Amino acid sequence: MKRYIKTILPAAAMLLTMGTTSCTSDLDVTPISPKLDTEFNVDWLFNKCYANFAMAGIGDGSSGDGGVDVTGYNDAGMTNLVRQMWNSNELTTDEAICSWGDVGIPEFNFNRYDSSEPMMRAYFARLTLGISFCNQYLAAAADHNAQMTAEVRYLRALQYYLLMDAFGNIPYTTTVTKPSQISRAEAFNNIEQELLEIEPLLPDAKAKKSTDSGYGRVDKAAVWILLSRMYLNAEVYTGTAQWSKAAEYAQKVMNSDYKLHTQGNKNWSAYQMLFMGDNGETDAAYEAIFPIFQDSKTTISYGNSLFLIASCFNEAMHSNPDDPDGYNGTTTAHWDGNRARPDLIAKFFPNGNAPQVPSYDMPAEAGDDRAIFWGTDHTLEIDNPSEFTEGYGVAKFISYKSDGSSTSDPSVTDADWFFFRAAEAYLTYAEATARQNGGNATSEGIDALNALRTRAHASHKSSFTLNEILDEWSREFYFEGRRRVDLIRFGKYGGLNCDYIWSWKGGAKEGRNFGEHMNIFAIPKNEMTSNSNLIQNPGYAD
């Protein structure tokens, strides 16, 4: 059941009364001692370590992101971890562009971010705050329960990974003391060591639905999928490739209890069901490794699934042909913001012939169930990035349930956010083994890629080059908050001699390159001010 967030309010209130700041920018927080703090409750703080991924504040669930942890923003949902991870990894790439003029959004759209970028300030603060919660738990209750301690160490490692990926050389501490900056390679090694140490202490890999005990908590598969992602990007992070380890840990996931969801119903494809309002209750949940659950009655946030459901729709779009007056399964959530750049549509329509049809007709036109785009009354090309109908709509994330019904509270959503999916392991395995095979997929890698294409009712391919694998990453995972990472690994993001240009890259409609230093974001200026241990990343001014 979706329960763990219900205890957040007393936990967060306890933390605030004991000196934790609303934005723990330097990880330097007051330790909690069960001997000194009579209100201390292990379960409360344990829940808060998880809740940092699910909500932006200390609301009781029904109040959404109320009592936001990271202050200074007029929209509490803007400080949500998943939302800022998504903004930084999607709006900066060939997949997404946003029509909003919020401070920070155009900087992402046009690759103009620097140390003053407000969205990256929120992301940095959210991650370091979450790490602080984990450090406090471990300082106070590391001996309480071995499995719970291993879970908190994993959550800390995951947030350190995200921090390292985005910001390179990062502040690092495993205690409640002020951190010192370490290199990206050192951070990689520390995270790797932590994950390897906790793996035996976590539960066996077991796919679950929301009605099963332990849904939403991490197990060994969460370690394997994160290690496989780290090893796949090891050359970027450390200068040394680790393709063999990437394939090894990906294969552990592929051989585990977590499986691709392959069975759709008469109304929805198996792929679409991964992103719907009951994805935690159907067999789609068996693909989810570390689902961040949302519940319209107990766990509401404007930064996870609801953000992608609402920001990708306007009131003229309707994703359910059986509900032509509806939008996306909600009644009010259509924010006219994010949509696809033409370069993403070209992954499915390479000849530029994407039709102007509704999202439920587009997969058949593309010959691929994953092409869930809205073309009606939208243009493919984007001349004015501020105009939502320029650029095809993305209807991948919806709040409808697989029986066609809506969420119990149709103003919000029950759709969980799948932080990792088993499908990632298939692509990681295929790419890692291809890189060991002269840049061409092995027979086993071809089988893994075709398993994804089979699920999508796309035609099989007999071979894949590395560039074709990169395109397959986009087809499978577009708008899931990882595209920037993949482009950097393939050398197709920053760099004045980069051979890949996309629409509005660098702020020009025809696209233009930007410096390679922008492969890493600037450490926010306020963090530099608050922690004298930090040195700014090369290429950015303080």
Side-chain angles (χ1 to χ4, degrees), residues 443-493:
S443 58
E444 295 83 1
I446 293 170
D447 289 343
L449 294 168
N450 279 329
L452 299 178
R453 294 182 65 84
T454 296
R455 189 252 295 276
H457 294 99
S459 60
H460 277 208
K461 298 183 66 173
S462 60
S463 64
F464 293 86
T465 64
L466 280 175
N467 282 337
E468 289 171 329
I469 293 174
L470 177 59
D471 286 346
E472 205 64 43
W473 273 111
S474 185
R475 281 187 283 268
E476 180 67 28
F477 280 99
Y478 69 90
F479 272 51
E480 292 187 52
R482 61 166 298 136
R483 182 58 171 172
R484 171 188 145 272
V485 181
D486 295 329
L487 289 176
I488 290 172
R489 186 174 67 256
F490 278 80
K492 297 186 181 298
Y493 188 73

Side-chain angles (χ1 to χ4, degrees), residues 471-528:
D471 286 346
E472 205 64 43
W473 273 111
S474 185
R475 281 187 283 268
E476 180 67 28
F477 280 99
Y478 69 90
F479 272 51
E480 292 187 52
R482 61 166 298 136
R483 182 58 171 172
R484 171 188 145 272
V485 181
D486 295 329
L487 289 176
I488 290 172
R489 186 174 67 256
F490 278 80
K492 297 186 181 298
Y493 188 73
L496 298 180
N497 296 316
C498 179
D499 65 356
Y500 184 49
I501 303 292
W502 59 81
S503 175
W504 291 103
K505 180 182 183 182
K509 181 180 184 296
E510 67 278 8
R512 61 188 175 202
N513 282 327
F514 47 82
E516 189 174 3
H517 72 279
M518 298 184 77
N519 285 355
I520 299 175
F521 293 103
I523 297 174
K525 184 179 294 185
N526 68 306
E527 304 292 340
M528 299 292 298

